[in-house]
Amino acid sequence: MNFDPLLAKNDLLEAYKLLQPHVHRTPVLSSHLIDELAGCKLYFKCENFQRMGAFKMRGAVNAIMNLSPGQQARGVVTHSSGNFAQALSLAAKSLGVKAYIAMPSNAPEAKKAAVRTYGGIITLCDSTPEARESTAAKICLETGATFIHPSNDYQVILGQGTAALELIQDHPNLDALFVPVGGGGLIAGSAIAAKYFSPVCIVIGAEPKGADDAFRSLKSGKIELNQDTDTIADGLRTNLGDVNFPIIRELVKEIVLVSDSEIVEAMKLIFERMKIVIEPSAATALAGLLRHKENFKGKRVGIVLSGGNVDLSKLPFY
Amino acid sequence: MNFDPLLAKNDLLEAYKLLQPHVHRTPVLSSHLIDELAGCKLYFKCENFQRMGAFKMRGAVNAIMNLSPGQQARGVVTHSSGNFAQALSLAAKSLGVKAYIAMPSNAPEAKKAAVRTYGGIITLCDSTPEARESTAAKICLETGATFIHPSNDYQVILGQGTAALELIQDHPNLDALFVPVGGGGLIAGSAIAAKYFSPVCIVIGAEPKGADDAFRSLKSGKIELNQDTDTIADGLRTNLGDVNFPIIRELVKEIVLVSDSEIVEAMKLIFERMKIVIEPSAATALAGLLRHKENFKGKRVGIVLSGGNVDLSKLPFY
């Protein structure tokens, strides 16, 4: 199943109904002080409060629930060293399904432990993309489990889009929505939600300068890759894919770039003023809005805070 | 006006009605993972989300609102280098009243700036208690403003007690309530709330070992002082007073002591699992519960998270 403009509205509603019992409806928070600074009214969708600490739980649940009972019985596979490995493990556990995770052997022990806590079955491999993919493919062959891509999968995209859908349900009059861009699943899903449930709301992606593949892709009209990445926003170092890029190209107004220091500044504002913990990737959306705030004076702007899984011993505040 | 067992229930309700329009009704959050660790069901009253970031806003508002119009016209005074200076300044600003703050000249610039942002008029003085008190007294004489003590004032105590009152309104079946103990205003107010609105709920104070004056005072039956203090919980280094101590002695079941490493461990749990920012003083209550968790198996326990004003460049996570 793939994106079809005639079906997408219904597809998203289906995803929303399916996953609702398995994810938190996260709160939407505001801050007078940040509003004053931004010159507009901001609505923060707090996916840092989502199960396992990030929006990725939504896509993982929706992808698994859309498998046939036979497929579910054989389990699911992904390759990831980050939030999606944890999300797929926890989603699978919640739904009584096995999750196999191909993880680079040099991934931090804390991340391996988190995956195991959620019941994920880890196969260690080299850290190259090729090694991860071939390891995942081998697991698929051996177990009959279904591969689920962290961001380039239509059911994952729809799942991620339910965060923006909930935000729009709570605040139907948004003028714009800022979303961090990594692998492209969250922004593609958010753009579907805005297009069909808040048609006047423009969707803007925010991306670190040090991983600007989506910015370049939207300019050139084809998927551009990051050769190397250099950003504190570790969740946003991945490339777009052939499933989400057409959606992004069609429905996203613009991608804006922000520096790491702007990301840290936005992150600090959110910690200090809102008293909530977010990861650098999540701060990217607010950084993008602040950089272009003159364009949003007096508007109502949604900000997707994508997650809160940050290493507390490495916070960038000094 | 002072604590009177026959009037306290009504006094607290009056305070609640008066201050409600001027403070946030903060949320009560839970965490499955921390519940599992603790072996009981925990309800966290999130005063880190209160205006200016701490419960002290409540007491400051209530104290000012209980002044006569003539007193309000002449303003209020306090001496504090911490949250109460900011709370009184912001409360006064919200109510159209002048706030004079005697602040030690060696207080961090950030704290002075915060007080000024909220409209407080600072008089710098030496950092000894005597210098602070005489400076505040001088301001009272010169301006006719009314002195408001940060914790040893019955209206302040009642204001602080409204946080526990709201928690009890939201969760009427609590078996116990853990509250950090510093100057004694918060725990005295919380104990009044529990006594009259949830009589079976016991109230337990949690205090750092390095500032154990309340623990010793409850043992000896008279106010014991901290000679010197050594704790990361900088909001809890103050002594009890003659207004709050009789309430604490009568209504608080017990004071438990915790080490700084237990405070940091509890703080880390709250950052990591609940994704919210709290200050070390606020973590003390959870630390106290965790140290004595075997006594609360399967119970419903309230935890007052007193505030979130922490210096992000000095977080104790490494």
Side-chain angles (χ1 to χ4, degrees):
Chain A
M1 198 165 118
N2 238 315
F3 176 63
D4 176 336
L6 295 177
L7 300 177
K9 182 174 185 175
N10 198 53
D11 291 345
L12 184 62
L13 280 181
E14 280 301 314
Y16 175 65
K17 273 185 237 160
L18 263 186
L19 60 71
Q20 234 180 340
H22 302 282
V23 305
H24 294 322
R25 185 176 185 109
T26 54
V28 177
L29 298 184
S30 287
S31 160
H32 285 297
L33 282 155
I34 301 181
D35 284 356
E36 265 177 40
L37 231 124
C40 59
K41 182 81 196 123
L42 298 177
Y43 300 91
F44 294 90
K45 178 65 172 171
C46 292
E47 288 293 299
N48 55 328
F49 294 143
Q50 188 50 266
R51 291 183 71 195
M52 60 64 59
F55 73 94
K56 302 235 170 188
M57 188 64 192
R58 297 174 181 269
V61 167
N62 193 51
I64 297 174
M65 293 188 87
N66 274 281
L67 299 178
S68 70
Q71 288 175 309
Q72 289 187 6
R74 290 188 296 276
V76 290
V77 186
T78 199
H79 53 75
S80 159
S81 58
N83 281 330
F84 195 71
Q86 294 176 51
L88 194 71
S89 301
L90 180 58
K93 188 185 180 190
S94 300
L95 299 166
V97 170
K98 277 185 188 161
Y100 302 94
I101 314 291
M103 257 184 126
S105 44
N106 63 358
E109 281 309 315
K111 293 200 172 181
K112 293 178 197 164
V115 166
R116 285 195 198 100
T117 301
Y118 293 137
I121 302 155
I122 297 177
T123 303
L124 295 175
C125 61
D126 282 352
S127 68
T128 63
E130 298 75 29
R132 294 188 202 197
E133 280 166 30
S134 68
T135 305
K138 196 161 159 251
I139 298 169
C140 287
L141 275 176
E142 285 171 8
T143 60
T146 304
F147 178 72
I148 311 226
H149 191 281
S151 54
N152 198 41
D153 174 300
Y154 187 53
Q155 294 302 345
V156 169
I157 291 167
L158 291 172
Q160 320 302 35
T162 60
L165 178 62
E166 290 175 4
L167 172 56
I168 289 164
Q169 287 170 343
D170 291 351
H171 298 281
N173 301 320
L174 295 181
D175 299 299
L177 179 62
F178 275 78
V179 184
V181 185
L186 179 63
I187 190 159
S190 302
I192 292 173
K195 168 78 177 173
Y196 298 103
F197 294 89
S198 185
V200 302
C201 174
I202 60 170
V203 175
I204 297 171
E207 200 174 37
K209 282 181 185 164
D212 65 349
D213 59 305
F215 177 80
R216 288 183 287 111
S217 302
L218 222 55
K219 292 261 182 256
S220 73
K222 60 183 177 53
I223 297 175
E224 307 285 346
L225 303 182
N226 291 311
Q227 295 311 329
D228 46 16
T229 58
D230 177 17
T231 174
I232 191 175
D234 54 345
L236 307 183
R237 292 176 190 149
T238 41
N239 295 307
L240 301 182
D242 60 343
V243 180
N244 59 49
F245 181 57
I247 304 172
I248 295 169
R249 197 172 45 181
E250 190 171 330
L251 302 181
V252 171
K253 175 114 199 301
E254 193 184 355
I255 309 271
V256 298
L257 296 179
V258 292
S259 68
D260 271 19
S261 68
E262 288 169 319
I263 292 171
V264 170
E265 198 46 50
M267 189 173 165
K268 200 173 167 196
L269 264 179
I270 289 169
F271 270 66
E272 276 185 350
R273 300 305 183 177
M274 300 176 66
K275 310 295 183 192
I276 63 175
V277 173
I278 58 164
E279 56 195 66
S281 302
T284 305
L286 176 60
L289 174 274
L290 289 176
R291 176 174 256 253
H292 298 278
K293 64 181 181 179
E294 70 284 358
N295 301 336
F296 298 92
K297 283 232 177 304
K299 301 286 187 193
R300 273 186 272 261
V301 181
I303 303 277
V304 180
L305 295 180
S306 46
N309 292 332
V310 65
D311 183 343
L312 292 179
S313 68
K314 290 179 182 157
L315 287 171
F317 310 130
Y318 358 86
Chain B
M1 196 165 116
N2 238 316
F3 175 65
D4 176 336
L6 295 177
L7 300 176
K9 181 174 186 174
N10 197 52
D11 292 345
L12 184 61
L13 280 180
E14 280 300 314
Y16 174 66
K17 275 186 234 158
L18 263 185
L19 60 73
Q20 233 180 341
H22 303 282
V23 304
H24 294 321
R25 185 176 184 109
T26 53
V28 177
L29 298 183
S30 287
S31 160
H32 284 298
L33 281 154
I34 301 180
D35 284 355
E36 264 177 42
L37 231 122
C40 57
K41 182 81 197 121
L42 298 177
Y43 300 91
F44 294 91
K45 177 65 172 171
C46 292
E47 289 294 298
N48 56 327
F49 295 142
Q50 188 49 268
R51 292 182 70 194
M52 61 61 63
F55 73 93
K56 301 234 171 190
M57 187 65 191
R58 296 175 182 268
V61 167
N62 193 52
I64 298 175
M65 292 186 88
N66 274 280
L67 299 178
S68 70
Q71 287 175 310
Q72 289 188 6
R74 290 188 295 276
V76 289
V77 187
T78 199
H79 54 75
S80 159
S81 58
N83 281 329
F84 195 71
Q86 294 175 50
L88 195 70
S89 301
L90 180 58
K93 188 184 181 191
S94 300
L95 299 166
V97 170
K98 277 186 189 160
Y100 302 93
I101 314 290
M103 257 184 127
S105 44
N106 63 358
E109 281 310 315
K111 294 202 171 180
K112 293 179 196 161
V115 166
R116 284 195 198 98
T117 302
Y118 293 136
I121 302 155
I122 297 176
T123 303
L124 294 176
C125 61
D126 283 349
S127 67
T128 62
E130 298 73 30
R132 295 188 201 196
E133 279 166 31
S134 69
T135 305
K138 195 160 162 253
I139 298 169
C140 287
L141 275 176
E142 285 171 9
T143 61
T146 305
F147 178 71
I148 310 227
H149 192 280
S151 54
N152 198 40
D153 174 299
Y154 187 54
Q155 294 302 343
V156 169
I157 291 167
L158 291 173
Q160 320 302 34
T162 60
L165 178 62
E166 290 175 5
L167 172 57
I168 288 164
Q169 288 171 342
D170 290 351
H171 298 280
N173 301 321
L174 295 181
D175 300 299
L177 179 62
F178 275 78
V179 184
V181 184
L186 179 64
I187 190 158
S190 303
I192 291 173
K195 168 78 177 173
Y196 297 103
F197 295 89
S198 186
V200 302
C201 175
I202 60 170
V203 175
I204 297 171
E207 198 175 38
K209 282 181 185 166
D212 65 348
D213 58 305
F215 176 82
R216 287 183 287 114
S217 301
L218 221 54
K219 292 259 181 256
S220 74
K222 62 184 176 55
I223 297 176
E224 306 286 345
L225 303 182
N226 291 312
Q227 294 312 329
D228 46 16
T229 58
D230 177 18
T231 174
I232 190 175
D234 53 346
L236 306 184
R237 291 176 191 149
T238 41
N239 295 307
L240 301 182
D242 60 342
V243 181
N244 58 48
F245 181 58
I247 304 172
I248 295 169
R249 197 173 42 180
E250 190 170 331
L251 302 181
V252 171
K253 175 114 198 304
E254 192 185 356
I255 309 269
V256 298
L257 296 179
V258 293
S259 68
D260 272 19
S261 67
E262 288 169 319
I263 293 172
V264 170
E265 198 47 49
M267 189 174 167
K268 201 173 168 198
L269 264 180
I270 289 169
F271 270 66
E272 277 185 348
R273 299 306 183 177
M274 300 177 66
K275 309 296 183 192
I276 63 175
V277 173
I278 59 163
E279 56 194 68
S281 302
T284 304
L286 176 60
L289 174 276
L290 288 176
R291 177 174 255 255
H292 297 278
K293 63 182 180 178
E294 70 285 358
N295 300 337
F296 298 92
K297 283 233 175 305
K299 301 286 186 191
R300 274 186 271 261
V301 181
I303 303 278
V304 180
L305 294 180
S306 46
N309 293 332
V310 65
D311 183 343
L312 291 179
S313 68
K314 291 179 184 157
L315 287 172
F317 308 130
Y318 0 85

